[in-house]
Amino acid sequence: MERHVIPDPENRMILLKTLSSIGPLSDTQLLIFVTDLSLMNYFSLHLNLSELEQQGLIEQFRHPFAMLYRITSSGRYMIENFSKIIPQSRQKLLEKNFASYRDMFRSQQLMPVSESVLPDGTTCIRLQLLEKDLLVLDMHIKVNHHLSCLETRWQNTAAEIYGLISDTLTEGFLGNDEKASFPETVSLTKSVRGEWTLYMADPPDDPDFSIIISLADEALCRHWARRWADTCSALREAVVSLLHHALDTSPVPSD
């Protein structure tokens, strides 16, 4: 017989097991997981998350994707010693779904997307690419129409778009670029981690297209900076085209 009231200790153990098995997750990702599997509702989730955090069994940390929850060493101790309070039927349900949700949530964290409608009616989309907690690419593009399934479009094309940007801007690089001044659309800074962060925008005042990208080589950054003005328009068109066709089942026709 299905139970109508699930004890809070069982719900808290489910959350600990989820964070232990899938890895750090945002509250939204946790909500998707527990509601998809009919494990608990919004209010039960957040009440139990708050309780787990107060007990020191989970903690939050800042990630470029969002604030994420992760299990602590005390939380792992609880899982190792008390996970049997989760009924076998729910244990099997969890184990059956961990892998697929782990892949989906990992993709979301490494390839975040967002969009906002601007006062003039255009849409600004933000596409990011991360490696662990390091922001590799942060791109803003204004488009005239809303793109459905933006998250899927970006996940399908992120590697290709990053390769397109890299190949286009690296063309002609010899490794000996002089430290000439940059145009106003470009800036270069060195992070505390040692990599270089290049900001490129077009046009400079109210960009329709901008890229923040991290590179290890200063000379390459400077070469990209000088290539930007001549290539940004074509790059923007190519990126938008790839996103538009990202859900096509047939190849994009060539001109």
Side-chain angles (χ1 to χ4, degrees):
M1 180 181 295
E2 185 177 352
R3 296 172 298 165
H4 295 288
V5 178
I6 308 300
D8 283 337
E10 181 183 320
N11 282 332
R12 289 195 286 271
M13 197 60 63
I14 285 173
L15 292 174
L16 289 176
K17 190 170 182 65
T18 299
L19 291 172
S20 175
S21 299
I22 294 181
L25 297 173
S26 69
D27 57 354
T28 301
Q29 290 176 322
L30 280 166
L31 180 63
I32 290 170
F33 184 76
V34 298
T35 55
D36 280 359
L37 302 186
S38 300
L39 295 169
M40 62 189 83
N41 60 32
Y42 174 90
F43 298 103
S44 179
L45 169 67
H46 284 88
L47 285 171
N48 283 293
L49 283 176
S50 178
E51 184 67 23
L52 288 169
E53 195 168 14
Q54 289 177 20
Q55 293 176 359
L57 302 178
I58 64 173
E59 61 186 3
Q60 288 192 80
F61 69 99
R62 188 172 298 280
H63 184 274
F65 170 69
M67 291 296 293
L68 302 183
Y69 287 97
R70 64 186 169 197
I71 191 169
T72 65
S73 57
S74 297
R76 293 193 184 280
Y77 173 83
M78 293 294 289
I79 283 293
E80 291 168 2
N81 291 276
F82 302 103
S83 63
K84 289 184 179 180
I85 71 171
I86 305 174
Q88 280 297 316
S89 59
R90 288 194 157 198
Q91 292 269 15
K92 291 178 180 179
L93 179 66
L94 291 169
E95 294 295 342
K96 180 181 177 181
N97 287 277
F98 279 150
S100 59
Y101 278 87
R102 184 187 302 115
D103 292 343
M104 180 178 72
F105 292 149
R106 182 66 173 162
S107 293
Q108 290 176 348
Q109 291 178 12
L110 294 179
M111 291 175 275
V113 301
S114 61
E115 60 181 328
S116 57
V117 179
L118 303 177
D120 63 0
T122 60
T123 298
C124 182
I125 60 177
R126 184 182 186 184
L127 309 169
Q128 296 175 281
L129 187 61
L130 289 84
E131 184 176 339
K132 295 184 179 179
D133 61 343
L134 174 64
L135 183 62
V136 176
L137 174 67
D138 190 354
M139 180 165 51
H140 291 76
I141 309 175
K142 290 182 183 178
V143 294
N144 294 325
H145 304 289
H146 166 74
L147 288 175
S148 62
C149 306
L150 182 59
E151 182 178 285
T152 302
R153 291 176 188 273
W154 176 229
Q155 291 174 6
N156 288 350
T157 58
E160 187 174 1
I161 287 174
Y162 184 86
L164 170 70
I165 294 170
S166 179
D167 292 345
T168 301
L169 295 176
T170 302
E171 184 177 339
F173 177 60
L174 300 176
N176 57 355
D177 284 53
E178 297 178 357
K179 294 187 178 182
S181 60
F182 288 162
E184 61 179 344
T185 57
V186 177
S187 64
L188 179 64
T189 57
K190 192 172 185 178
S191 76
V192 293
R193 302 191 188 197
E195 77 274 1
W196 294 89
T197 301
L198 184 63
Y199 171 74
M200 302 173 287
D202 178 61
D205 296 330
D206 185 19
D208 294 324
F209 182 41
S210 67
I211 292 175
I212 300 174
I213 199 161
S214 296
L215 297 169
D217 189 292
E218 181 185 4
L220 182 60
C221 285
R222 293 183 176 278
H223 180 79
W224 282 26
R226 282 187 281 279
R227 291 268 299 156
W228 173 250
D230 295 331
T231 61
C232 59
S233 295
L235 265 178
R236 181 189 179 279
E237 291 181 9
V239 168
V240 172
S241 177
L242 285 170
L243 290 170
H244 272 295
H245 293 283
L247 303 183
D248 291 354
T249 55
S250 57
V252 180
S254 58
D255 295 331

